[in-house]
């Protein structure tokens, strides 16, 4: 009595729902099982039974202009740390190394792609994922390993109070990842069920098709996995790949930013980082030759709602340097303003419109200018044409002094805000590590803003909008 049974399922005619009698049978069968009370055995005081043997700091260097210290440890690990007072309870981490999924064959692609998920589902050391979750309850600490296409590493956050637990987690991911085949099997079934349903969403389907188009159906393109792709994951291979990617800590550079208690921090660095296995060998990523097509206009039909989405992409090779990167960023700032003014305010054709301009260095040097225009289907042509008119105007005339002044003021204001945030400095140090950027480059930023001219934006526009144009548009299905 007093029981309600609710069944939820996707709207899918291929799914057979259980009958009322079947539901009653399930409930009756469970009621006859002798289930022992749950015993919580996760009460522990430390993640490690024994602390590792400490290493040493063999070199220490300070960079006064950015108040950052660099440490070289006895095992070859490099550590940057910057103590800040922006947030009393925040310490952020980024550890990164080149290589990633690119070093594995197409056959092992999905095992590599989901290797960190396999470890996350399994746990570390002597603790399952569920036990670890309970142990960390009440602690403000997070450590997340990743293996991307061209790099691997760890992202994380902690507080000064939980700093030792933070370092212990880092140490365990490097030295004692676990493989729980039962937990992984459960995750695979849940993931397959999820993937079999999300592709029915028009925007998810569109994103998947866009990824396939931009990679020219490359088997390693960033498409949405199919349920059968999950069956291609070999958990043992995923486990092996994870161990390989994190086997050489000396190939990583660690960056810490936040309210760091320096003496305690250095002690943990010596205990948990300088003790990690390290070799002189350094790896690099492999260019998988994933490249976009040239000059196409593709229409995708999905769903019944009167909604469209346009992705307009300009892409080609471009040498990376600070000037090109900064001019592209300034072009993005101007396009954001003009697209909003014309497409949103003057034409009322969109609720939101965005553009992203980026200059990439991995796996090859190239630029992307990406317009994203959600709109009604009958407004697609007019809004795209208006966007192209804005582009042509920049190529012909540059930008007015008023807009130039507005962009400079906004950039200076954003810079003043950014340099007082831990995330900004973490990203700054991460790029220093990954790309060997000049660690003192921040000194040149205000000078770049002051020198920016209309002609700089005009010239970069003529360079990026004179080559490859890709347009992919979502429309509702034709009736």
């Amino acid at each position: 009595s007093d029981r309600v049974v609710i069944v939820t399922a996707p709207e899918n005619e291929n799914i057979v729902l259980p009958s009322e009698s079947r539901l009653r049978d399930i409930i009756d069968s469970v009621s006859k099982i002798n289930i022992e009370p749950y015993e919580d055995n996760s009460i522990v005081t430390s993640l490690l039974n024994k602390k590792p043997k400490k290493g040493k700091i063999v070199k220490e260097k300070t960079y006064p202009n950015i108040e950052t210290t660099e440490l070289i440890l006895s095992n070859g690990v490099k550590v940057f740390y910057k103590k800040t007072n922006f947030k009393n309870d925040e310490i952020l981490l980024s550890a990164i190394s080149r290589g990633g999924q690119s070093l594995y064959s197409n056959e092992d692609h999905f095992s590599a792609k989901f290797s960190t998920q396999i470890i996350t589902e399994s746990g570390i050391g002597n603790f399952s994922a569920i036990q670890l979750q309970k142990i960390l309850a009440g602690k403000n600490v997070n450590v997340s390993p990743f293996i991307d296409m061209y790099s691997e590493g760890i992202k994380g956050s902690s507080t000064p109070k939980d700093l030792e637990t933070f370092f212990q987690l880092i140490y365990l991911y490097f030295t004692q990842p676990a493989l729980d085949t039962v937990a992984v099997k459960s995750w695979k079934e849940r993931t397959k069920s999820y993937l079999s349903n999300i592709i029915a969403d028009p925007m998810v389907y569109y994103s998947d098709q866009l990824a396939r188009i931009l990679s020219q159906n490359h088997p390693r393109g960033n498409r949405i996995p199919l349920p059968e792709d999950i069956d291609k994951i070999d958990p043992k291979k995923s486990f092996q790949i994870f161990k390989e990617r994190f086997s050489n800590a000396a190939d990583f550079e660690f960056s810490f930013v936040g309210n760091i208690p320096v003496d305690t921090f250095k002690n943990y660095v010596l205990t948990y980082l300088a003790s990690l296995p390290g070799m002189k060998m350094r790896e690099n990523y492999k260019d998988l030759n994933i490249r976009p097509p040239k000059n196409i206009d593709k229409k995708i039909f999905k769903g019944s709602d009167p909604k469209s989405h346009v992705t307009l992409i300009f892409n080609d090779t471009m040498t990376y340097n600070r000037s090109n990167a900064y001019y592209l960023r300034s072009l993005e700032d101007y396009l954001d303003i003009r697209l909003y003014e014309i497409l949103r305010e003057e034409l009322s054709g969109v609720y939101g419109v965005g553009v992203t301009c980026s200059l990439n260095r991995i796996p090859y040097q190239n630029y992307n200018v990406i317009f994203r225009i959600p709109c009604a289907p009958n407004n697609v042509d007019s809004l795209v044409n208006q966007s192209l008119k804005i582009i042509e105007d920049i190529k012909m005339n540059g930008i007015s002094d008023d807009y130039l002044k507005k962009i400079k003021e906004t950039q200076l204001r954003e810079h003043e805000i950014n340099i007082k945030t831990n995330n900004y400095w973490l990203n700054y140090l991460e790029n220093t590590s990954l790309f060997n950027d000049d660690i003192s480059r921040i000194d040149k930023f205000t000078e770049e803003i002051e020198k920016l001219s209309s002609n700089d934006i005009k010239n970069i526009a003529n360079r990026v909008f004179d080559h490859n144009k890709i347009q992919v548009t979502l429309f509702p299905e034709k009736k």
Side-chain angles (χ1 to χ4, degrees):
S1 63
D2 224 12
R3 169 180 282 160
V4 176
V5 177
I6 299 175
V7 177
T8 60
E11 285 187 282
N12 188 327
E13 59 187 19
N14 295 323
I15 293 177
V16 179
L17 298 178
S19 64
E20 181 178 333
S21 61
R22 174 59 183 148
L23 291 173
R24 291 184 182 278
D25 289 343
I26 293 171
I27 294 168
D28 289 342
S29 65
V30 172
S31 67
K32 296 173 184 176
I33 299 174
N34 183 26
I35 302 173
E36 294 294 328
Y38 173 74
E39 292 184 11
D40 192 345
N41 57 357
S42 63
I43 300 174
V44 297
T45 57
S46 175
L47 292 171
L48 296 173
N49 294 327
K50 184 180 178 181
K51 289 186 179 181
K53 185 178 179 180
K54 284 186 179 182
K56 297 179 180 179
I57 296 172
V58 297
K59 184 179 178 181
E60 183 168 346
K61 183 178 180 180
T62 59
Y63 300 91
N65 62 321
I66 59 170
E67 299 178 326
T68 296
T69 302
E70 176 186 348
L71 305 174
I72 305 296
L73 308 182
S74 51
N75 59 350
V77 170
K78 182 185 288 186
V79 177
F80 291 104
Y81 73 88
K82 178 178 174 63
K83 180 177 173 60
T84 69
N85 57 3
F86 308 139
K87 284 187 177 181
N88 290 333
D89 60 348
E90 183 177 79
I91 298 172
L92 303 180
L93 157 71
S94 172
I96 197 161
S97 169
R98 293 187 174 203
Q101 302 165 26
S102 70
L103 301 182
Y104 297 90
S105 66
N106 289 348
E107 181 183 359
D108 292 329
H109 170 53
F110 289 102
S111 294
K113 183 181 180 70
F114 289 98
S115 58
T116 52
Q117 186 66 47
I118 298 301
I119 303 303
T120 301
E121 294 293 324
S122 298
I124 50 176
N126 298 319
F127 308 105
S128 69
I130 294 174
Q131 289 172 326
L132 196 61
Q133 186 179 14
K134 291 184 176 182
I135 292 167
L136 298 178
K139 295 181 182 291
N140 193 348
V141 60
N142 174 60
V143 175
S144 300
F146 67 87
I147 301 178
D148 288 340
M149 188 67 79
Y150 300 106
S151 65
E152 59 271 334
I154 291 179
K155 300 283 189 180
S157 62
S158 179
T159 64
K161 179 173 68 72
D162 297 316
L163 195 56
E164 184 164 22
T165 300
F166 189 44
F167 273 92
Q168 288 178 345
L169 287 168
I170 297 167
Y171 179 84
L172 285 172
Y173 274 117
F174 271 92
T175 60
Q176 298 180 44
L179 177 59
D180 183 336
T181 55
V182 174
V184 170
K185 182 179 179 181
S186 173
W187 169 80
K188 288 178 72 172
E189 292 305 314
R190 296 195 312 270
T191 303
K192 286 163 61 177
S193 177
Y194 170 73
L195 291 173
S196 66
N197 294 309
I198 63 165
I199 205 68
D201 183 299
M203 276 305 298
V204 173
Y205 179 81
Y206 172 73
S207 298
D208 175 72
Q209 293 301 303
L210 179 62
R212 293 171 186 267
I213 290 167
L214 293 180
S215 68
Q216 300 190 74
N217 281 315
H218 193 287
R220 307 288 284 273
N222 194 30
R223 62 176 176 81
I224 294 172
L226 300 170
E228 52 264 36
D229 293 328
I230 303 303
D231 287 328
K232 297 175 184 176
I233 300 172
D234 178 350
K236 291 183 179 178
K237 184 66 178 180
S238 295
F239 181 66
Q240 176 190 335
I241 289 171
F242 187 92
K243 290 179 69 176
E244 289 173 356
R245 292 296 85 223
F246 291 88
S247 63
N248 181 17
D251 202 21
F252 288 75
E253 294 189 7
F254 291 76
S255 300
F256 294 87
V257 177
N259 185 21
I260 296 170
V262 175
D263 291 340
T264 303
F265 171 81
K266 283 187 175 181
N267 179 45
Y268 293 153
V269 165
L270 294 177
T271 303
Y272 298 108
L273 297 188
S275 60
L276 291 172
M279 300 171 284
K280 291 184 178 179
M281 181 184 68
R282 297 292 182 269
E283 289 184 311
N284 205 347
Y285 58 84
K286 178 183 177 182
D287 186 351
L288 299 176
N289 199 35
I290 301 174
R291 300 292 189 269
K294 296 291 184 181
N295 296 307
I296 63 166
D297 186 346
K298 181 78 173 178
K299 295 178 176 62
I300 296 171
F301 298 89
K302 187 70 173 178
S304 57
D305 291 342
K307 296 178 181 179
S308 282
H309 190 98
V310 183
T311 303
L312 191 62
I313 301 173
F314 299 84
N315 170 283
D316 207 344
T317 57
M318 178 181 282
T319 301
Y320 184 93
N321 58 51
R322 282 183 57 85
S323 295
N324 285 342
Y326 174 61
Y327 296 151
L328 268 174
R329 178 207 163 171
S330 299
L331 174 64
E332 177 183 317
D333 291 342
Y334 177 69
L335 285 169
D336 272 334
I337 296 170
R338 291 298 286 150
L339 288 168
Y340 185 83
E341 288 178 344
I342 295 177
L343 272 60
R344 173 72 180 97
E345 294 185 339
E346 290 185 17
L347 300 177
S348 298
V350 294
Y351 287 110
V353 61
V355 62
T356 304
C357 301
S358 59
L359 189 54
N360 310 302
R361 290 182 265 187
I362 292 178
Y364 69 106
Q365 297 187 17
N366 70 98
Y367 70 85
N368 278 304
V369 180
I370 306 175
F371 294 73
R372 296 179 178 85
I373 309 171
C375 60
N378 58 353
N379 286 338
V380 166
D381 290 341
S382 63
L383 295 177
V384 169
N385 288 335
Q386 285 294 335
S387 299
L388 296 177
K389 284 181 181 179
I390 294 172
I391 289 171
E392 289 304 313
D393 181 58
I394 304 171
K395 290 169 66 176
M396 290 289 293
N397 306 308
I399 68 175
S400 70
D401 289 341
D402 287 343
Y403 283 113
L404 183 63
K405 181 181 178 182
K406 185 175 182 179
I407 288 171
K408 288 183 175 184
E409 288 175 346
T410 300
Q411 289 180 353
L412 284 169
R413 186 166 59 251
E414 287 177 349
H415 181 63
E416 290 172 359
I417 294 170
N418 286 338
I419 60 174
K420 295 178 182 177
T421 65
N422 291 327
N423 272 307
Y424 173 85
W425 285 107
L426 188 72
N427 181 258
Y428 184 95
L429 294 176
E430 183 181 291
N431 285 341
T432 301
S433 298
L434 188 59
F435 302 115
N436 198 28
D437 283 346
D438 176 11
I439 198 169
S440 300
R441 63 193 181 277
I442 196 169
D443 294 340
K444 305 171 186 176
F445 189 65
T446 54
E447 181 182 341
E448 287 176 327
I449 296 175
E450 291 168 358
K451 288 183 177 180
L452 181 67
S453 69
S454 170
N455 213 42
D456 293 328
I457 296 179
K458 177 182 176 181
N459 288 340
I460 199 72
N462 276 282
R463 289 179 67 184
V464 301
F465 293 126
D466 251 5
H467 300 284
N468 186 26
K469 180 169 79 73
I470 300 168
Q471 181 176 333
V472 182
T473 309
L474 172 67
F475 288 100
E477 294 174 65
K478 296 178 179 178
K479 296 180 180 179

